[in-house]
């Protein structure tokens, strides 16, 4: 199962070089120590390392990203980028 959403916060030791707050991401299912928190009606997924976050292009609908998690998402994004370049 993969979780899809936006980055809302980083831990103190997180590598922030490739991601920023509000980036759309899929949480890769291989995360060895995931946890879930709730605040009001919102579910938060806490990951052990940002390396388990796969960025989602703004051109990919969130529902599709959830289905394609991981390598499929990277391939789909490459196809979209190629399509834009060809046009």
């Amino acid at each position: 199962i993969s979780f899809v959403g936006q980055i809302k916060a980083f831990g103190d030791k997180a590598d922030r070089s490739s991601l920023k707050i509000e980036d759309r991401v899929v949480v890769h299912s291989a995360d060895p120590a995931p946890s879930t928190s709730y605040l009001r009606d919102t579910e938060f997924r806490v990951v052990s390392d940002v390396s388990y976050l796969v960025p989602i292009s703004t051109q990919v609908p969130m529902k599709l990203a959830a289905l394609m998690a991981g390598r499929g998402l990277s391939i789909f994004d490459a196809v979209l980028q190629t399509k834009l370049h060809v046009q």
Side-chain angles (χ1 to χ4, degrees):
I1 297 174
S2 297
F3 293 89
V4 179
Q6 290 182 302
I7 296 175
K8 295 298 181 187
F10 287 102
D12 294 338
K13 298 177 184 177
D15 176 12
R16 302 176 191 197
S17 61
S18 61
L19 297 167
K20 61 187 182 306
I21 301 294
E22 298 297 322
D23 276 356
R24 296 160 22 113
V25 293
V26 171
V27 178
H28 196 279
S29 59
D31 185 358
S35 64
T36 304
S37 300
Y38 297 91
L39 179 62
R40 296 187 190 102
D41 294 335
T42 305
E43 178 180 345
F44 293 90
R45 186 75 170 180
V46 180
V47 295
S48 59
D49 192 285
V50 295
S51 63
Y52 294 105
L53 299 177
V54 180
I56 303 170
S57 167
T58 56
Q59 298 174 334
V60 178
M62 294 289 256
K63 287 182 181 181
L64 179 59
L67 294 172
M68 299 179 66
R71 187 78 177 132
L73 189 58
S74 300
I75 293 168
F76 186 74
D77 188 50
V79 169
L80 287 176
Q81 294 302 320
T82 303
K83 180 181 173 187
L84 291 173
H85 181 72
V86 171
Q87 291 176 348

